[in-house]
Amino acid sequence: MLDVRPPRRLVAALALLGALAAAAVLRAAPVSPRGEDAPATEFSASRALVTVRALAGHGAPRTTGSPADLTAVELIAASLRGLGLETEVQQTFGCGPYGTCAPVRNVVARLGPAGRKAVLLVAHHDSVPASPGAADDASGVAIVVEVARALAAGPPLARPFVAVVTDAEEAGLVGAAAFARSHPRAADAGAVVNLEARGTTGPSIMFDTSGDPAWTARALRRLRHPVTTSVAPAVYDLLPNDTDLTVLERSGMPGLNLAFALGVPRYHTPLDDVAHLDLRSLQHQGESALALVRAAAEEPLETPARARLVYFDVLALGVVSYRAPLAVALLGAALVAAAAFLLLRRAPRRVRRLVAGLVAALAAPVAALGAVLLAWTLLRGGALSRTFVASPGPFSAAGWALGAAAALAAAALAARRAGAEGLFAGAAGLHAILGVALAAALPGASHVSAIPALAAGAAGLGWALARRGRDAWLAAAALAPALAAGAVVFSLAYLLPHLLGVVAAAGVAAAVALAVVPLAPLAAGARGRGRFVPAAALAAVGVVLVLVQAFLPPATAEAPERATISFHEEAGQARWLVEAETAALPGTLGGAATFAAERTRAFPWAPNRPAFTAAAAPLHLPAPRLEVLDVAYEGGLRRVRARLSSPRGAPRAYVVLPPASDVAAFEMEGVAVPAPAPKVRHWWGGWRVHGCAGLPPGGVELEVGVRGDAPLPVLVVDESPGLPPDGERLRAARPANAAPSQQGDATYVTARATL
């Protein structure tokens, strides 16, 4: 009779690991909001919501220089003055690292004694043109005000608290750059806590540190519900994203970045409104900010220290941290090597066992990754046609199931050849190798394998040296590293598809496989085909979940596809542009105009903005102007002074320099515009784009330093929100499950000029 009974110990271990996974998912939620009756010295989301409504409740975007944004500045300054803070509005002209400039209005307020390094709490008051910005970043501004109120109500801090509410963050970190360049309070900054949002819900995650300040670990231990890992800044450093903290860090200010980032489909769209802001996220972010400010105020910021720090939360109950990640990884590797040697030294065909165990351990994450990527490829043209789909849950859960299935299948296939000892050595050895490699290359992520390797090495030595109860020690040697891996990565595995998009489920599958693969020795004692049953059951669950995802819509009215409509005119020719998130024109938009079948580059300098195009009737709008005022020669450069303006009163204008232009310097209103970083040049396809947000009615003055005497042809573009009247038929044709994003529906006019 065929024996298909699964190994009992393996099933029990899987159940325990599954319970840990469920706890990790549940604990990765934000906290319950506090009411207006919360103690005066504590944070209350209900009190902060009053400020959010005042800033974003009307639904109008707060673009730099707009009436809504000017009103917001007055409201924020009045609120902070009313709490007793010494408050001013810094009005200046600034230029950010993305090449954009703007007249900015930063609100800067101080509470507490002078003469010592200060703790800065930073948020930005502007929003993108497509969004009222309730989460991004009216929530951050409201937190700044509520934290200031809680601090004013409590005992005095040991050092100054400075609230910095910046302008033109969405235009390119311009307000933060202006603050760092010219505000006297910038020189007093000893620590920064920056507040951001990349969605409308989710836990507040401490996702980035600048300068690895030595007090980070102590500050994180003050959080009531910490959700953090040093994997986040290690990965974030590899991404092209920036926040205000990026600019402040370059000025020597160490700090921490907080953000909630679930509900990404509503980010930078009209649905980032008060109705969709999760009060739990507001509470979690606010109380975390208050705790970090109080913790930083107790640190010796006058003598800052740096440390390469590894840290992670355990079920949001507390934070584990340590320094010297390479030493920890090497210790784990040494323990694993000793345990494997002792276990295999008397085993027959020990080399064969070790090789079989290592191959099985390595095959598990590779197979898991491949299986989910295959499923993603099959669904990419339909249910998974977007990076952030409306309902990512089934596909994410499939990643968990297929990851576990791959690990168990690899163990079952190698069980007879490797034996329990070989399977242990392979799984533990893989974690040891990965731990050391990550500690050398990506230290902040090394704990995902270094900690399981430590657990495996310690328990494995107990198994190897035990004279009695060896079965119990075998179970411990399998379960201890699996639980350690789960405690380290399960929360991150749950959050990743929400933070990075649904394709991250492939990474989740690989991570889960690495967490489950230490259980492999428990499959070695099974008879018949029973050892394959757990893998087969989990694989079936994974396939069913993929099929469920296949029938779910990628976009809904609550999680819309991004479809932004623009009108563009140049030299008497006009066209409609629809920048769609996918390669298909959304819904009924195709019936509103005769659009091309394929997307093309919307503008020569914007390779990352493909759009469907259709001919439009020209409106003969006044073109933007770049008027040359003066030409002088100095230091081997031809310095051209010019004025950039928009006769039609557009609030934003750009000068676009072709890739071959030999420009050595660029100034706007006397402020040097930073040369574009490589990633910025990549975004613009090698073109150099310098713009002014909040363009004054009279325009702005430029000075361009050009090498050589040859005329420099440039493009001049202005941008205004909204579409001409004829665009109403396109707006009406946009389906309910689509929405404008980023710059929103806009009108562009292009002209050509020579410098």
Side-chain angles (χ1 to χ4, degrees):
M1 186 174 180
L2 187 64
D3 188 353
V4 293
R5 290 174 297 176
R8 291 181 179 178
R9 288 187 301 178
L10 178 59
V11 172
L14 281 172
L16 190 57
L17 202 59
L20 178 63
V25 170
L26 291 173
R27 292 291 296 172
V31 302
S32 299
R34 304 289 298 275
E36 293 187 14
D37 58 347
T41 56
E42 296 181 12
F43 186 90
S44 162
S46 297
R47 289 192 290 251
L49 185 61
V50 175
T51 302
V52 176
R53 285 180 173 145
L55 294 173
H58 46 67
R62 299 182 308 282
T63 51
T64 297
S66 67
D69 197 42
L70 297 179
T71 300
V73 170
E74 294 174 2
L75 185 150
I76 297 162
S79 297
L80 293 170
R81 286 193 189 101
L83 294 171
L85 277 70
E86 179 186 325
T87 305
E88 63 174 308
V89 177
Q90 179 195 17
Q91 297 192 47
T92 186
F93 193 87
C95 296
Y98 285 59
T100 303
C101 304
V104 298
R105 295 164 180 83
N106 296 327
V107 182
V108 183
R110 182 179 67 84
L111 176 69
R116 300 193 68 193
K117 289 288 187 182
V119 180
L120 273 58
L121 184 60
V122 180
H124 64 90
H125 58 74
D126 65 310
S127 75
V128 295
S131 171
D136 182 23
D137 194 26
S139 70
V141 177
I143 289 169
V144 170
V145 173
E146 173 66 2
V147 166
R149 187 209 54 72
L151 294 175
L157 294 178
R159 59 180 65 254
F161 163 76
V162 176
V164 182
V165 184
T166 63
D167 195 359
E169 191 270 355
E170 300 291 6
L173 315 178
V174 181
F179 172 79
R181 179 178 63 89
S182 61
H183 199 283
R185 298 255 184 250
D188 298 331
V192 178
V193 178
N194 187 60
L195 304 173
E196 267 294 351
R198 195 169 177 265
T200 58
T201 185
S204 175
I205 305 169
M206 204 293 286
F207 70 96
D208 186 31
T209 61
S210 69
D212 271 349
W215 48 266
T216 296
R218 293 189 292 273
L220 292 176
R221 293 192 186 102
R222 297 280 289 271
L223 301 181
R224 179 171 70 93
H225 191 88
V227 179
T228 187
T229 171
S230 53
V231 174
V235 173
Y236 186 77
D237 287 345
L238 303 176
L239 299 176
N241 308 72
D242 290 318
T243 68
D244 277 344
L245 186 62
T246 309
V247 172
L248 302 179
E249 175 189 9
R250 291 170 185 164
S251 298
M253 307 179 202
L256 312 174
N257 247 335
L258 293 175
F260 51 93
L262 274 63
V264 177
R266 292 188 284 273
Y267 171 68
H268 282 185
T269 76
L271 292 185
D272 181 8
D273 55 15
V274 175
H276 289 93
L277 175 62
D278 191 337
L279 277 187
R280 299 175 304 158
S281 302
L282 183 62
Q283 179 69 38
H284 194 189
Q285 183 119 306
E287 68 179 42
S288 296
L290 178 57
L292 291 175
V293 166
R294 284 176 169 154
E298 298 174 5
E299 293 293 331
L301 303 179
E302 282 73 21
T303 55
R306 301 289 185 267
R308 177 168 284 181
L309 192 66
V310 172
Y311 55 88
F312 55 93
D313 74 274
V314 179
L315 300 180
L317 297 170
V319 173
V320 175
S321 64
Y322 59 88
R323 299 176 187 173
L326 184 58
V328 171
L330 288 172
L331 175 60
L335 291 174
V336 167
F341 172 77
L342 293 174
L343 286 168
L344 290 170
R345 63 177 177 169
R346 293 192 180 94
R349 297 186 295 276
R350 56 182 177 270
V351 174
R352 173 179 149 179
R353 288 173 179 261
L354 175 61
V355 171
L358 278 171
V359 170
L362 183 59
V366 173
L369 185 74
V372 177
L373 284 177
L374 175 62
W376 175 73
T377 302
L378 293 174
L379 299 184
R380 192 177 177 186
L384 301 183
S385 57
R386 306 170 58 205
T387 302
F388 295 94
V389 297
S391 303
F395 196 73
S396 299
W400 289 71
L402 293 174
L408 297 175
L413 288 169
R416 290 183 178 177
R417 182 177 292 269
E421 294 85 354
L423 289 172
F424 166 82
L430 179 61
H431 274 293
I433 293 167
L434 283 176
V436 172
L438 287 170
L442 205 63
S446 61
H447 60 286
V448 301
S449 279
I451 298 299
L454 279 172
L461 280 174
W463 178 23
L465 298 174
R467 296 186 177 182
R468 296 180 180 178
R470 286 182 59 82
D471 283 350
W473 274 108
L474 185 159
L479 194 55
L483 291 176
V488 170
V489 303
F490 280 169
S491 293
L492 182 63
Y494 163 67
L495 292 170
L496 269 180
H498 296 281
L499 300 175
L500 300 180
V502 72
V503 71
V508 170
V512 170
L514 285 171
V516 174
V517 80
L519 298 180
L522 300 180
R527 298 179 179 180
R529 298 183 179 177
R531 65 182 183 274
F532 291 98
V533 171
L538 285 165
V541 170
V543 171
V544 169
L545 288 167
V546 170
L547 291 174
V548 169
Q549 187 73 62
F551 289 95
L552 294 176
T556 66
E558 288 295 298
E561 176 185 354
R562 296 164 190 266
T564 303
I565 305 167
S566 303
F567 174 84
H568 176 233
E569 186 170 86
E570 179 180 2
Q573 301 293 316
R575 56 182 179 155
W576 298 110
L577 304 170
V578 175
E579 295 177 52
E581 195 172 352
T582 67
L585 190 67
T588 54
L589 268 170
T594 306
F595 284 96
E598 301 290 336
R599 292 185 299 177
T600 56
R601 185 181 294 191
F603 299 102
W605 62 89
N608 297 318
R609 293 180 61 180
F612 295 95
T613 62
L619 299 178
H620 305 289
L621 297 172
R625 296 182 63 189
L626 186 63
E627 179 186 3
V628 174
L629 304 176
D630 183 48
V631 178
Y633 292 85
E634 180 184 339
L637 296 179
R638 181 167 58 89
R639 295 191 172 273
V640 182
R641 192 165 58 86
R643 177 162 293 278
L644 172 65
S645 62
S646 171
R648 66 188 186 92
R652 192 162 186 160
Y654 311 85
V655 174
V656 184
L657 309 170
S661 57
D662 196 0
V663 173
F666 198 106
E667 292 184 1
M668 193 176 295
E669 291 291 306
V671 179
V673 182
K679 67 179 180 182
V680 178
R681 280 189 173 273
H682 173 72
W683 291 342
W684 298 124
W687 294 69
R688 186 164 172 171
V689 180
H690 295 307
C692 180
L695 185 69
V700 290
E701 189 171 300
L702 315 176
E703 184 173 298
V704 185
V706 185
R707 296 184 181 93
D709 293 327
L712 175 61
V714 299
L715 298 176
V716 190
V717 186
D718 67 7
E719 172 193 335
S720 58
L723 300 173
D726 196 34
E728 181 56 38
R729 58 191 173 87
L730 277 80
R731 284 195 298 266
R734 182 164 43 207
N737 66 347
S741 68
Q742 282 309 120
Q743 297 304 110
D745 296 343
T747 296
Y748 297 87
V749 181
T750 299
R752 297 177 183 270
T754 302
L755 291 176

